Amino acid sequence: MVSELQRLVENLGNRLGRSVAVDDPALHLLAYNPHAGTIDTARTESILKRAVPREVVQYVYDCGAATAEDLFTVPARPDMSMDIARIGMPIRHRGALLGFIWLLASDGPVGDDHADAVRRSAETVAMIMHREYLLGELSRGRERELTRDLISGHAEVRTQAADQLVSENLFSAGPALALVVSLTRTGAPLTDSDRIALAAGVDFGRNRRPQRTALTLERPDHAILLLAQHDAIERQAIKDLAGSIRERVLAETETGGHCWVGIGEARAALSDVHHSYADARRAADVARIVHVLGTVVRYGELGVYGMLAELPADRLADSLHPGLRALFERHSAGDDALVETIETFLDNAGHVKKTSDRLRIHRTSLYYRLRRIEEITGLDLSLGNDRLTLHLGLKMARLIEIR
């Protein structure tokens, strides 16, 4: 489709002698013609990033883009880097909005002949986009079906799905790993907009990978991106990609959402990538709870949290030392200095100076707090086993969200 649109845009631009661009409904750039005329920062950014800021999209739609049936004008907005007004033509198929053809007002007024040429081009573009949508949906439907089978609980189904993905030229054979993108809202379920944002995020990641090296799948509360990995050097590149996906999800959804990305470990065979999916999902879940890990977390970097996450939450809760529970009760009552003190002390391997510097308290105050902790918990901080009991208990408490 892109090559057809590109030819059409270049032909229309040559015929009109002006800048022409085609966007999808979200104003993601699909095709444009090189043009010697003046363009503004908004057009340059659209070409470089294939996307525009959300406020620009909102402004365009406020100008009537959603309901327009013919040529319409979007006035300039220098505060949004739109120094030039746009003339838009909606691309519709049976009333459904598929995108827009854009002209720049800086190229001069649009006469009747030019307007008719733009309308005819919009009809042609609509047929191209609708045809590609139907073909793409058939292909993506098959791909989604096989991807769903690839992470199912049945080994035979997984093996068959992996073989078919490779034989049907939908994915390359060899090592693969999974990314899980999770989006949550405090005290509220995800909205349809949130789910669209998740899908947009993984599609954004997919489009930055070579053909046949990425698959996507959406779930009710998370999205999945499966990646072929043939080189260990890609590890950092994949983590960078995960960060970009997270940024895209947050940019696409409404404010107030929180996004985490978990990265599973690569598996040698595509049929085993469900293990990487489980790893990635666990990493995203743990990152959501244990904020100190960051927002993009590889499963192999979970450390002790990865081991603890294998156990049911009720077993972890039952394993907490009674003395630590007593400390948490004081924490809940407003005396939170002791919990912060013991966690900082243990995270710094019992180093007094580092702990006092981190807490910004005098060593005398630190020693006093440590004695109080021993009195409350009944544990002796000079004993390695008691220190381990407290340290593990604090990590467990974070994981099951007791604190």
Side-chain angles (χ1 to χ4, degrees):
M1 179 184 72
V2 173
S3 60
E4 284 186 273
L5 288 183
Q6 188 62 43
R7 285 196 298 271
L8 184 147
V9 163
E10 289 177 0
N11 288 337
L12 180 61
N14 290 336
R15 197 157 69 245
L16 303 184
R18 61 193 304 153
S19 172
V20 178
V22 173
D23 286 347
D24 69 10
L27 304 192
H28 297 147
L29 184 65
L30 300 178
Y32 72 98
N33 68 320
H35 185 63
T38 302
I39 63 174
D40 55 18
T41 302
R43 171 59 64 85
T44 303
E45 289 293 302
S46 174
I47 292 171
L48 292 176
K49 298 181 179 179
R50 299 279 163 166
V52 297
R54 186 188 301 175
E55 60 268 22
V56 173
V57 177
Q58 185 62 53
Y59 172 63
V60 170
Y61 275 83
D62 287 344
C63 292
T67 56
E69 298 291 338
D70 199 7
L71 291 166
F72 67 101
T73 300
V74 178
R77 279 289 300 270
D79 59 313
M80 293 183 178
S81 300
M82 296 176 65
D83 300 318
I84 302 171
R86 268 78 169 158
I87 298 99
M89 178 67 201
I91 301 166
R92 294 185 181 275
H93 180 81
R94 295 181 180 177
L97 182 63
L98 303 181
F100 303 95
I101 294 178
W102 296 108
L103 310 178
L104 293 177
S106 57
D107 290 332
V110 180
D112 291 341
D113 290 346
H114 283 192
D116 287 340
V118 172
R119 292 186 186 104
R120 288 193 299 273
S121 294
E123 292 175 0
T124 303
V125 173
M127 289 188 291
I128 293 171
M129 294 178 75
H130 182 65
R131 181 198 69 207
E132 290 299 317
Y133 170 80
L134 293 177
L135 292 175
E137 279 301 295
L138 289 173
S139 175
R140 290 296 294 272
R142 174 61 172 163
E143 181 184 290
R144 282 194 292 268
E145 176 188 348
L146 292 174
T147 305
R148 198 162 43 241
D149 289 347
L150 194 62
I151 59 172
S152 76
H154 303 286
E156 185 177 342
V157 172
R158 292 194 300 266
T159 300
Q160 185 175 3
D163 290 343
Q164 289 178 315
L165 281 165
V166 173
S167 64
E168 294 178 25
N169 207 30
L170 296 173
F171 200 76
S172 61
L177 58 79
L179 274 67
V180 165
V181 187
S182 173
L183 184 65
T184 63
R185 292 191 174 277
T186 304
L190 294 186
T191 64
D192 288 341
S193 175
D194 292 330
R195 295 186 180 91
I196 291 172
L198 282 171
V202 291
D203 278 342
F204 172 84
R206 175 194 181 121
N207 291 336
R208 274 145 186 78
R209 299 287 294 179
Q211 286 189 338
R212 299 176 59 244
T213 65
L215 298 168
T216 62
L217 187 66
E218 292 82 48
R219 289 301 200 213
D221 61 347
H222 65 277
I224 306 162
L225 177 64
L226 302 183
L227 299 175
Q229 186 187 30
H230 299 297
D231 192 339
I233 297 175
E234 281 194 313
R235 285 177 65 88
Q236 185 57 48
I238 288 172
K239 195 161 187 176
D240 292 341
L241 177 66
S244 299
I245 291 170
R246 178 180 177 275
E247 291 175 4
R248 185 56 179 265
V249 170
L250 292 176
E252 293 283 346
T253 193
E254 299 170 3
T255 57
H258 306 281
C259 183
W260 290 269
V261 183
I263 306 173
E265 296 302 305
R267 293 304 193 275
L270 182 58
S271 57
D272 292 329
V273 79
H274 65 289
H275 292 304
S276 184
Y277 165 58
D279 292 347
R281 192 170 184 186
R282 183 169 289 114
D285 288 343
V286 172
R288 175 180 57 82
I289 298 167
V290 186
H291 294 167
V292 295
L293 294 174
T295 54
V296 176
V297 181
R298 189 180 294 277
Y299 178 77
E301 298 171 353
L302 291 179
V304 68
Y305 290 113
M307 177 189 69
L308 296 175
E310 300 283 349
L311 300 174
D314 56 347
R315 286 190 60 187
L316 291 176
D318 291 342
S319 300
L320 286 178
H321 190 278
L324 191 56
R325 289 184 179 277
L327 202 63
F328 289 149
E329 288 172 6
R330 288 178 175 268
H331 177 82
S332 300
D335 184 8
D336 56 358
L338 296 182
V339 172
E340 182 187 9
T341 297
I342 188 58
E343 186 161 33
T344 305
F345 178 71
L346 294 172
D347 283 346
N348 283 288
H351 196 290
V352 171
K353 185 178 185 308
K354 285 183 180 179
T355 304
S356 57
D357 288 346
R358 181 69 61 84
L359 295 173
R360 296 182 180 179
I361 61 175
H362 194 273
R363 292 190 192 187
T364 303
S365 298
L366 175 59
Y367 285 127
Y368 170 75
R369 290 185 186 182
L370 294 177
R371 284 197 301 272
R372 290 286 296 129
I373 291 166
E374 289 180 323
E375 291 171 2
I376 294 168
T377 63
L379 296 171
D380 185 345
L381 293 177
S382 68
L383 300 177
N385 282 339
D386 284 4
R387 286 194 189 192
L388 180 60
T389 296
L390 277 174
H391 210 179
L392 272 178
L394 288 164
K395 305 306 181 189
M396 289 159 55
R398 279 194 183 275
L399 199 57
I400 57 181
E401 299 182 271
I402 287 180
R403 57 175 298 265

